Amino acid sequence: MADSAYQPSEQALALDRDCTTLSRHVLQQLQTASPSEAQDLAALMGRVGLAGKLIARRLSRAGLMANTLGFTGETNVQGEEVKKMDLYSNEVFISVFKQSGLVCRLASEEMEDLYYIPENCPIGRYTLLYDPIDGSSNVDVNLNVGSIFAIRQQEGNDEAQDGVDLLQDGSKQIAAGYILYGPSTVLVYSIGKGVHSFTLDPSLGEFILSEENIQIPTHGPVYSVNEGNFWQWEESYRDYVRYVHRHEGYSGRYSGALVGDFHRILFQGGVFMYPGTVKKPEGKLRLLYESAPLAFLAEQAGGAATTGTQDIMDFMPTELHQRTPLIIGSTEDVALVTSFIEEQKRMVEDRAAAGVN
Ligand code: P6P
Protein backbone atom coordinates (compact mmCIF):
# COMPACT_ATOMS: atom_id res chain seq x y z
CA MET A 1 0.00 0.00 0.00
CA ALA A 2 1.48 3.40 -0.97
CA ASP A 3 2.86 5.20 2.00
CA SER A 4 0.53 8.22 1.95
CA ALA A 5 1.94 10.87 4.22
CA TYR A 6 -0.60 12.15 6.73
CA GLN A 7 -2.35 15.22 5.30
CA PRO A 8 -4.03 17.15 8.10
CA SER A 9 -7.60 18.09 7.33
CA GLU A 10 -8.76 21.69 7.17
CA GLN A 11 -10.39 21.10 10.53
CA ALA A 12 -7.16 19.82 12.05
CA LEU A 13 -5.30 22.87 10.72
CA ALA A 14 -7.96 25.16 12.16
CA LEU A 15 -7.68 23.43 15.53
CA ASP A 16 -3.90 23.78 15.44
CA ARG A 17 -4.34 27.51 14.93
CA ASP A 18 -6.85 27.75 17.77
CA CYS A 19 -4.27 26.06 19.97
CA THR A 20 -1.56 28.62 19.10
CA THR A 21 -2.09 30.91 22.03
CA LEU A 22 0.14 33.85 22.85
CA SER A 23 2.28 32.11 25.47
CA ARG A 24 2.64 29.05 23.25
CA HIS A 25 3.78 31.21 20.35
CA VAL A 26 6.45 32.93 22.47
CA LEU A 27 7.82 29.55 23.59
CA GLN A 28 7.88 28.34 19.98
CA GLN A 29 10.03 31.35 19.04
CA LEU A 30 12.42 30.89 21.96
CA GLN A 31 13.28 27.24 21.58
CA THR A 32 16.98 28.09 21.55
CA ALA A 33 16.77 30.51 24.45
CA SER A 34 17.40 29.53 28.06
CA PRO A 35 14.32 27.82 29.50
CA SER A 36 14.02 30.46 32.24
CA GLU A 37 14.14 33.38 29.76
CA ALA A 38 11.62 31.67 27.51
CA GLN A 39 9.32 30.91 30.42
CA ASP A 40 9.63 34.48 31.73
CA LEU A 41 8.77 36.07 28.39
CA ALA A 42 5.92 33.65 27.76
CA ALA A 43 4.52 34.47 31.20
CA LEU A 44 4.96 38.22 30.67
CA MET A 45 3.21 38.14 27.31
CA GLY A 46 0.43 36.09 28.85
CA ARG A 47 0.04 38.82 31.45
CA VAL A 48 -0.10 41.51 28.74
CA GLY A 49 -2.86 39.47 27.13
CA LEU A 50 -4.76 39.33 30.44
CA ALA A 51 -4.53 43.12 30.79
CA GLY A 52 -5.87 43.45 27.25
CA LYS A 53 -8.82 41.17 27.98
CA LEU A 54 -9.74 43.11 31.13
CA ILE A 55 -9.58 46.46 29.31
CA ALA A 56 -11.45 45.11 26.26
CA ARG A 57 -14.19 43.79 28.55
CA ARG A 58 -14.64 47.23 30.16
CA LEU A 59 -14.55 49.08 26.84
CA SER A 60 -17.18 46.75 25.32
CA ARG A 61 -19.66 47.88 27.97
CA ALA A 62 -18.32 51.42 28.56
CA GLY A 63 -21.59 53.09 27.68
CA LEU A 64 -23.52 50.92 30.12
CA MET A 65 -21.29 51.18 33.19
CA ALA A 66 -21.03 53.99 35.68
CA ASN A 67 -17.62 55.63 36.15
CA THR A 68 -16.33 54.48 32.77
CA LEU A 69 -16.78 57.36 30.35
CA GLY A 70 -15.70 60.94 30.76
CA PHE A 71 -12.99 62.61 32.81
CA THR A 72 -11.77 62.10 36.37
CA GLY A 73 -11.13 65.82 36.84
CA GLU A 74 -7.40 65.18 37.36
CA THR A 75 -4.46 66.19 35.13
CA ASN A 76 -1.58 63.77 34.50
CA VAL A 77 2.14 64.35 34.25
CA GLN A 78 1.65 65.10 30.56
CA GLY A 79 -0.60 68.02 31.46
CA GLU A 80 -3.51 66.14 29.90
CA GLU A 81 -6.96 65.69 31.42
CA VAL A 82 -7.22 62.13 32.76
CA LYS A 83 -10.11 60.04 31.48
CA LYS A 84 -11.75 57.44 33.67
CA MET A 85 -10.61 54.72 31.27
CA ASP A 86 -6.99 55.98 31.56
CA LEU A 87 -7.16 55.47 35.31
CA TYR A 88 -8.92 52.12 35.15
CA SER A 89 -6.54 50.76 32.50
CA ASN A 90 -3.50 51.95 34.41
CA GLU A 91 -4.76 50.11 37.49
CA VAL A 92 -5.38 46.99 35.39
CA PHE A 93 -1.72 46.87 34.37
CA ILE A 94 -0.60 47.45 37.98
CA SER A 95 -2.79 44.63 39.33
CA VAL A 96 -1.92 42.21 36.52
CA PHE A 97 1.84 42.73 36.85
CA LYS A 98 1.86 42.78 40.65
CA GLN A 99 0.77 39.17 40.42
CA SER A 100 3.31 38.37 37.69
CA GLY A 101 6.13 37.95 40.21
CA LEU A 102 8.44 39.02 37.37
CA VAL A 103 8.04 42.77 37.00
CA CYS A 104 9.75 44.96 39.58
CA ARG A 105 8.96 48.39 38.05
CA LEU A 106 6.20 49.92 35.98
CA ALA A 107 6.65 53.09 33.90
CA SER A 108 3.34 54.52 32.73
CA GLU A 109 2.18 57.55 30.81
CA GLU A 110 -0.29 58.04 33.67
CA MET A 111 2.28 58.05 36.50
CA GLU A 112 4.94 60.71 36.97
CA ASP A 113 7.32 58.36 38.77
CA LEU A 114 8.19 54.70 38.44
CA TYR A 115 5.87 52.32 40.31
CA TYR A 116 7.79 49.71 42.28
CA ILE A 117 6.44 46.28 43.20
CA PRO A 118 8.78 45.43 46.10
CA GLU A 119 7.60 41.84 46.48
CA ASN A 120 8.72 41.20 42.87
CA CYS A 121 11.99 43.10 42.91
CA PRO A 122 14.35 40.55 44.47
CA ILE A 123 13.65 38.12 41.64
CA GLY A 124 11.78 40.14 39.01
CA ARG A 125 14.30 41.61 36.64
CA TYR A 126 11.86 43.17 34.20
CA THR A 127 10.36 46.62 33.75
CA LEU A 128 7.10 47.19 31.91
CA LEU A 129 6.75 50.54 30.14
CA TYR A 130 3.26 51.26 28.88
CA ASP A 131 0.61 53.66 27.76
CA PRO A 132 -2.49 52.04 29.26
CA ILE A 133 -4.98 53.68 26.91
CA ASP A 134 -3.56 55.50 23.92
CA GLY A 135 -6.02 57.83 22.22
CA SER A 136 -8.40 57.87 25.17
CA SER A 137 -10.29 60.86 23.74
CA ASN A 138 -11.84 58.30 21.36
CA VAL A 139 -13.40 56.27 24.19
CA ASP A 140 -16.42 58.55 24.71
CA VAL A 141 -17.28 58.38 20.99
CA ASN A 142 -16.73 54.62 20.70
CA LEU A 143 -13.77 54.82 18.33
CA ASN A 144 -10.64 52.69 18.40
CA VAL A 145 -8.10 53.06 21.21
CA GLY A 146 -5.06 51.01 22.15
CA SER A 147 -2.54 50.04 24.82
CA ILE A 148 1.17 50.21 23.98
CA PHE A 149 3.84 48.30 25.90
CA ALA A 150 7.53 47.51 26.02
CA ILE A 151 9.50 45.20 28.28
CA ARG A 152 13.09 45.93 29.33
CA GLN A 153 15.51 44.04 31.54
CA GLN A 154 16.44 45.94 34.71
CA GLU A 155 20.15 46.76 34.79
CA GLY A 156 21.65 47.17 38.27
CA ASN A 157 19.66 47.35 41.47
CA ASP A 158 18.21 50.86 41.00
CA GLU A 159 18.90 51.65 44.68
CA ALA A 160 18.16 55.33 44.09
CA GLN A 161 14.85 54.28 42.55
CA ASP A 162 15.35 56.77 39.74
CA GLY A 163 15.29 54.23 36.92
CA VAL A 164 18.37 55.72 35.27
CA ASP A 165 19.00 52.39 33.54
CA LEU A 166 15.78 52.96 31.58
CA LEU A 167 17.26 56.04 29.88
CA GLN A 168 18.77 53.97 27.11
CA ASP A 169 18.01 53.49 23.43
CA GLY A 170 15.40 51.23 21.89
CA SER A 171 17.78 48.32 21.48
CA LYS A 172 17.25 47.62 25.18
CA GLN A 173 13.64 46.57 24.53
CA ILE A 174 13.35 42.79 24.71
CA ALA A 175 9.67 42.79 23.73
CA ALA A 176 7.21 45.41 22.51
CA GLY A 177 3.76 45.66 21.05
CA TYR A 178 0.27 47.00 21.36
CA ILE A 179 -3.33 45.95 21.86
CA LEU A 180 -5.84 47.52 19.48
CA TYR A 181 -9.39 47.74 20.82
CA GLY A 182 -11.38 47.94 17.59
CA PRO A 183 -14.17 45.89 15.99
CA SER A 184 -12.08 43.02 17.32
CA THR A 185 -9.35 43.15 19.94
CA VAL A 186 -5.98 42.49 18.34
CA LEU A 187 -2.63 42.09 20.08
CA VAL A 188 0.48 42.71 17.95
CA TYR A 189 3.91 41.96 19.40
CA SER A 190 7.53 41.16 18.72
CA ILE A 191 10.31 39.69 20.82
CA GLY A 192 12.80 40.49 18.10
CA LYS A 193 11.84 37.54 15.91
CA GLY A 194 9.32 39.15 13.57
CA VAL A 195 5.95 40.79 14.18
CA HIS A 196 2.89 38.68 14.87
CA SER A 197 -0.75 39.43 15.52
CA PHE A 198 -3.31 37.66 17.66
CA THR A 199 -7.06 38.16 17.70
CA LEU A 200 -9.06 37.79 20.89
CA ASP A 201 -11.64 35.02 20.58
CA PRO A 202 -14.20 36.03 23.23
CA SER A 203 -15.77 32.56 23.16
CA LEU A 204 -12.41 31.06 24.20
CA GLY A 205 -11.15 34.05 26.19
CA GLU A 206 -7.86 33.56 24.36
CA PHE A 207 -5.76 35.57 21.94
CA ILE A 208 -5.38 33.28 18.91
CA LEU A 209 -2.67 33.62 16.26
CA SER A 210 -4.04 35.46 13.23
CA GLU A 211 -0.96 36.67 11.31
CA GLU A 212 2.73 35.77 11.50
CA ASN A 213 5.83 37.64 10.30
CA ILE A 214 3.94 40.74 9.21
CA GLN A 215 5.87 42.92 6.76
CA ILE A 216 5.10 46.60 6.17
CA PRO A 217 4.83 47.25 2.38
CA THR A 218 7.79 49.37 1.22
CA HIS A 219 5.27 51.99 0.06
CA GLY A 220 1.60 52.60 0.75
CA PRO A 221 -1.14 55.14 -0.04
CA VAL A 222 -1.79 56.30 3.52
CA TYR A 223 -0.37 59.44 5.07
CA SER A 224 -1.54 59.94 8.63
CA VAL A 225 -1.05 63.32 10.29
CA ASN A 226 -3.12 65.97 12.07
CA GLU A 227 -3.21 68.64 9.36
CA GLY A 228 -4.81 70.98 11.85
CA ASN A 229 -1.26 71.65 13.04
CA PHE A 230 -0.08 72.55 9.50
CA TRP A 231 0.97 76.14 10.35
CA GLN A 232 2.77 75.03 13.48
CA TRP A 233 5.17 72.74 11.61
CA GLU A 234 8.60 73.41 10.16
CA GLU A 235 8.46 74.19 6.41
CA SER A 236 9.77 70.74 5.42
CA TYR A 237 6.66 68.98 6.78
CA ARG A 238 4.43 71.50 5.00
CA ASP A 239 6.35 70.78 1.78
CA TYR A 240 5.73 67.03 2.23
CA VAL A 241 1.98 67.55 2.71
CA ARG A 242 1.85 69.87 -0.32
CA TYR A 243 3.57 67.07 -2.29
CA VAL A 244 0.99 64.40 -1.36
CA HIS A 245 -1.83 66.90 -2.04
CA ARG A 246 -0.52 67.37 -5.56
CA HIS A 247 0.26 63.74 -6.43
CA GLU A 248 -2.12 60.87 -7.19
CA GLY A 249 -2.25 57.78 -5.03
CA TYR A 250 -2.29 59.24 -1.52
CA SER A 251 -5.10 59.09 1.05
CA GLY A 252 -5.22 60.91 4.35
CA ARG A 253 -6.29 58.78 7.33
CA TYR A 254 -6.09 60.07 10.91
CA SER A 255 -8.05 58.58 13.82
CA GLY A 256 -6.61 60.53 16.75
CA ALA A 257 -5.27 57.29 18.21
CA LEU A 258 -1.70 56.36 17.31
CA VAL A 259 -2.24 52.61 17.70
CA GLY A 260 -5.05 52.44 15.14
CA ASP A 261 -3.23 54.70 12.69
CA PHE A 262 -0.05 52.65 13.00
CA HIS A 263 -1.94 49.35 12.70
CA ARG A 264 -3.41 50.46 9.35
CA ILE A 265 0.07 51.36 8.09
CA LEU A 266 1.57 48.09 9.38
CA PHE A 267 -0.79 46.21 7.04
CA GLN A 268 -1.40 48.63 4.15
CA GLY A 269 1.78 50.73 4.11
CA GLY A 270 2.22 54.48 4.24
CA VAL A 271 3.48 56.87 6.91
CA PHE A 272 2.30 58.29 10.22
CA MET A 273 3.89 61.46 11.48
CA TYR A 274 3.59 63.69 14.49
CA PRO A 275 6.10 66.52 13.90
CA GLY A 276 7.25 69.02 16.45
CA THR A 277 4.95 72.05 16.65
CA VAL A 278 5.33 75.63 17.87
CA LYS A 279 3.67 74.60 21.14
CA LYS A 280 5.56 71.28 21.41
CA PRO A 281 8.82 71.62 19.40
CA GLU A 282 9.97 68.25 20.75
CA GLY A 283 6.74 66.63 19.54
CA LYS A 284 3.79 65.26 21.52
CA LEU A 285 4.41 61.51 21.55
CA ARG A 286 6.41 59.91 24.33
CA LEU A 287 9.50 57.93 23.43
CA LEU A 288 9.76 55.14 26.00
CA TYR A 289 6.18 53.86 25.93
CA GLU A 290 4.81 55.06 22.59
CA SER A 291 7.39 55.74 19.85
CA ALA A 292 10.13 53.28 20.83
CA PRO A 293 7.84 50.23 21.12
CA LEU A 294 6.25 51.02 17.74
CA ALA A 295 9.67 51.70 16.21
CA PHE A 296 10.77 48.27 17.44
CA LEU A 297 7.79 46.72 15.65
CA ALA A 298 8.26 48.85 12.53
CA GLU A 299 11.88 47.80 12.11
CA GLN A 300 11.05 44.16 12.83
CA ALA A 301 8.42 44.40 10.06
CA GLY A 302 10.84 45.92 7.54
CA GLY A 303 9.69 49.50 8.04
CA ALA A 304 11.36 52.57 9.55
CA ALA A 305 10.90 55.07 12.37
CA THR A 306 12.73 58.37 12.82
CA THR A 307 12.56 61.68 14.69
CA GLY A 308 13.23 63.29 11.31
CA THR A 309 16.96 63.46 11.97
CA GLN A 310 17.67 60.26 13.95
CA ASP A 311 16.32 56.70 14.07
CA ILE A 312 13.91 56.40 16.98
CA MET A 313 15.62 53.17 18.01
CA ASP A 314 18.92 55.06 18.48
CA PHE A 315 17.48 58.00 20.42
CA MET A 316 18.83 58.30 23.95
CA PRO A 317 16.21 59.75 26.32
CA THR A 318 17.20 62.17 29.08
CA GLU A 319 14.03 61.67 31.10
CA LEU A 320 11.32 59.04 31.62
CA HIS A 321 8.57 61.01 29.82
CA GLN A 322 10.83 62.15 26.98
CA ARG A 323 8.95 63.32 23.88
CA THR A 324 10.23 63.20 20.31
CA PRO A 325 8.82 63.93 16.86
CA LEU A 326 7.76 60.69 15.14
CA ILE A 327 7.75 59.65 11.49
CA ILE A 328 7.02 55.92 11.15
CA GLY A 329 5.92 53.45 8.48
CA SER A 330 7.00 52.24 5.05
CA THR A 331 10.68 52.75 4.23
CA GLU A 332 9.95 54.66 1.00
CA ASP A 333 7.35 56.93 2.59
CA VAL A 334 9.47 57.69 5.65
CA ALA A 335 12.37 58.43 3.28
CA LEU A 336 10.17 60.80 1.27
CA VAL A 337 9.33 62.80 4.42
CA THR A 338 12.99 62.95 5.52
CA SER A 339 14.02 64.02 1.98
CA PHE A 340 12.06 67.25 2.51
CA ILE A 341 13.75 67.71 5.92
CA GLU A 342 17.19 67.22 4.34
CA GLU A 343 16.32 69.59 1.46
CA GLN A 344 15.26 72.27 3.93
CA LYS A 345 18.50 71.77 5.88
CA ARG A 346 20.56 72.17 2.67
CA MET A 347 18.71 75.38 1.76
CA VAL A 348 19.39 76.87 5.20
CA GLU A 349 23.08 75.89 4.98
CA ASP A 350 23.39 77.34 1.46
CA ARG A 351 21.80 80.62 2.56
CA ALA A 352 24.13 80.78 5.54
CA ALA A 353 27.13 80.11 3.28
CA ALA A 354 25.97 82.89 0.95
CA GLY A 355 25.59 85.24 3.93
CA VAL A 356 21.85 85.46 3.36
CA ASN A 357 19.88 85.32 6.61
P1 P6P B 1 -3.62 65.27 18.33
C1 P6P B 1 -3.50 60.52 21.77
O1 P6P B 1 -3.64 61.58 22.70
C2 P6P B 1 -2.12 60.62 21.17
O2 P6P B 1 -1.16 60.48 22.17
C3 P6P B 1 -1.93 59.61 20.06
O3 P6P B 1 -2.62 58.44 20.28
C4 P6P B 1 -2.45 60.32 18.84
O4 P6P B 1 -1.82 59.91 17.64
C5 P6P B 1 -2.13 61.79 19.14
O5 P6P B 1 -1.98 61.90 20.56
C6 P6P B 1 -3.24 62.70 18.70
O6 P6P B 1 -2.82 64.02 19.00
O7 P6P B 1 -2.82 66.48 18.76
O8 P6P B 1 -3.60 65.06 16.83
O9 P6P B 1 -5.02 65.21 18.90
Side-chain angles (χ1 to χ4, degrees), residues 80 134-135 226 229 254 256-258 272 274 284-286 290:
E80 295 167 345
D134 167 69
N226 182 347
N229 295 329
Y254 192 75
L258 171 60
F272 171 96
Y274 204 106
K284 173 180 183 182
L285 301 175
R286 278 63 52 149
E290 288 179 322

